[in-house]
Structure formats: C-alpha cells, structure tokens
Amino acid sequence: MAQHRLCTSCQVPLSSDDVGIYLKLISRSAQQFLCIDCIGVKLNCGREPIEKLIRYFRESGNCALFR
C-alpha cells in the first residue's frame, strides 16, 4: 500500500512538488513536510514565488528533486 503524506500543518495530501520544494528550501533531512501554501506562510512570501522556483528548478534540469 502506498504511503500518502499529509501536510503537518493543514493535513492536505502532498504532491511530489510539495515534498521536493520543502526538501530544497527548508531541510534536506526532513521526514515531515508542509504543502506549498503552508511553506509560503512560513516564509512569508505566499504561493506564487514558490511555484516560480519549482518551475525554475524543473526547467533548469539541474535539480534531482524536480526531474
């Protein structure tokens, strides 16, 4: 059975992008994660800048978290 991860703050199911950007921006050794919206609140920047970073990392092809 697949393990579904949930945001530790709001309990929504996490996507691979949520997990990847949390690992990239917050902690590479994390075992629990926040969704993009909650990361935006934590970093006081909102969702849009985080989505732009995800697009950048994916398009650059240099980050293994976003391949």
Side-chain angles (χ1 to χ4, degrees):
M1 187 164 100
Q3 178 184 7
H4 298 284
R5 294 185 175 171
L6 300 175
C7 174
T8 57
S9 180
C10 69
Q11 303 305 307
V12 300
L14 298 172
S15 70
S16 59
D17 285 347
D18 294 315
V19 173
I21 200 66
Y22 190 89
L23 291 170
K24 185 78 169 176
L25 297 178
I26 308 296
S27 172
R28 284 286 236 193
S29 62
Q31 297 296 311
Q32 296 180 336
F33 307 94
L34 296 174
C35 67
I36 293 172
D37 290 321
C38 292
I39 294 170
V41 169
K42 179 179 180 77
L43 299 178
N44 197 31
C45 67
R47 182 181 184 94
E48 188 176 336
I50 295 170
E51 288 176 334
K52 286 181 182 180
L53 277 174
I54 291 170
R55 272 192 305 278
Y56 169 78
F57 292 132
R58 183 168 284 122
E59 290 170 2
S60 74
N62 294 326
C63 182
L65 296 170
F66 296 99
R67 290 189 182 161

